[in-house]
Amino acid sequence: MTVSLREWSLLMETKGFTDQVDNYIHHLRRAIYQPVVERDVGHAPIDRRKASLLLLPLLNGEQWTDEMQTAALAIGAIHTAFDVHDQIDIVDASSKEQQLMVLAGDHFSGIHYKLLASIPNFHLIRSLSSAIGRVNECKTTLLQAPPTTVEERLQLIADVESACIVKFFESFGFSRYVHIVETVFPFVWLLDSRRHDLNRMKFPHLVPNTHDTQDWIDQLQQQLNDRLENSFYLHTEVIAELQKMTKQ
């Protein structure tokens, strides 16, 4: 099969994209590693999709400093803490396994604050503290008293998934990427509800009926397409990765 120069170039750029995400995940695993945690609860779940969206400015060729890298690792650590705590059974959290999950999540949360303490960016620290409070508030609402409309539920899900990333973008001058991640997160949550066992996804009790799900997928697909079309600063390979991430 003959590959055109443009196709080869895109392939190489995509490989570079993949390598940068792999590199970030490798450094995040090193940052959060603790032998006892590994022994008791195994490898921590790291959401590759979320990591890719966090790194969107880097992957798009923006200047990326050591401070940004440390902050990104701190956000990766708190995302890992959230994901571990989400696996805890709120009805029966008394078993040894569940208690170990609580401790593991607390450990990853501690790594988040340790990494933030290593960079003198008090505005970022305050912003992320506010975002973490917002995430916990939204989770409580979604679990205990979810809004009646799908639109409000999707907005809260977007807040849960993107709040820390949005504060990171805003703190480092990457605000133009915010509208993309705020669209992608509820979109992929709906896509996951069709592809996966509901018990393996967040907030399965909030998944709308099949007809409403497809309507919202269509709306968010159009919204994302419009935003990508008007985001002239995005490189071709980044757009291709976002489209792959949200492929129906």
Side-chain angles (χ1 to χ4, degrees), residues 2-248:
T2 303
V3 178
S4 70
L5 182 59
R6 182 178 181 281
E7 290 172 330
W8 177 255
S9 176
L10 182 59
L11 180 64
M12 291 298 99
E13 289 170 342
T14 301
K15 184 179 184 302
F17 184 109
T18 302
D19 287 347
Q20 289 188 86
V21 177
D22 286 344
N23 185 57
Y24 168 80
I25 291 175
H26 169 72
H27 284 287
L28 177 57
R29 285 210 177 277
R30 288 183 59 187
I32 65 176
Y33 176 73
Q34 214 290 334
V36 174
V37 173
E38 289 275 322
R39 183 196 68 200
D40 291 340
V41 300
H43 245 18
I46 293 179
D47 188 330
R48 184 182 185 85
R49 189 166 57 193
K50 192 176 290 184
S52 298
L53 291 169
L54 170 63
L55 299 178
L56 207 51
L58 169 65
L59 302 172
N60 198 48
E62 303 278 6
Q63 181 179 7
W64 195 261
T65 65
D66 289 343
E67 181 183 15
M68 292 174 189
Q69 179 68 7
T70 300
L73 291 172
I75 292 171
I78 199 63
H79 282 165
T80 305
F82 286 150
D83 289 343
V84 168
H85 281 155
D86 285 344
Q87 296 178 38
I88 297 168
D89 186 342
I90 59 175
V91 176
D92 179 18
S94 60
S95 70
K96 179 180 178 181
E97 180 183 18
Q98 293 281 292
Q99 290 175 354
L100 288 172
M101 296 292 281
V102 172
L103 292 174
D106 291 347
H107 164 71
F108 300 136
S109 180
I111 297 297
H112 162 78
Y113 290 108
K114 180 180 178 181
L115 287 166
L116 282 184
S118 71
I119 55 178
N121 190 329
F122 300 110
H123 170 71
L124 175 66
I125 292 171
R126 285 193 296 270
S127 294
L128 287 176
S129 177
S130 172
I132 291 169
R134 175 62 180 162
V135 169
N136 289 326
E137 176 188 328
C138 291
K139 283 185 176 182
T140 300
T141 299
L142 288 169
L143 290 170
Q144 297 183 2
T148 55
T149 71
V150 177
E151 182 176 12
E152 291 175 300
R153 293 180 178 190
L154 290 177
Q155 181 57 60
L156 288 176
I157 288 168
D159 289 347
V160 166
E161 297 296 283
S162 69
C164 292
I165 296 177
V166 167
K167 292 301 183 184
F168 173 79
F169 286 173
E170 292 174 345
S171 296
F172 288 109
F174 298 136
S175 294
R176 61 184 180 176
Y177 296 92
V178 167
H179 67 290
I180 296 173
V181 299
E182 288 182 335
T183 302
V184 169
F185 277 118
F187 188 9
V188 297
W189 180 81
L190 286 170
L191 292 175
D192 285 349
S193 75
R194 294 198 320 186
R195 297 170 179 161
H196 302 152
D197 178 350
L198 293 184
N199 292 326
R200 295 173 53 200
M201 66 177 293
K202 294 182 182 179
F203 314 116
H205 64 294
L206 301 180
V207 174
N209 63 53
T210 303
H211 177 71
D212 287 344
T213 295
Q214 188 57 53
D215 281 349
W216 275 100
I217 285 175
D218 293 341
Q219 287 185 50
L220 290 170
Q221 178 72 77
Q222 186 59 55
Q223 184 175 316
L224 181 62
N225 290 345
D226 292 343
R227 289 182 168 177
L228 292 181
E229 185 176 340
N230 290 305
S231 299
F232 304 108
Y233 52 89
L234 287 178
H235 294 178
T236 303
E237 72 274 15
V238 173
I239 293 175
E241 286 296 319
L242 288 168
Q243 290 172 334
K244 185 192 302 183
M245 191 182 296
T246 56
K247 186 177 180 180
Q248 296 192 44

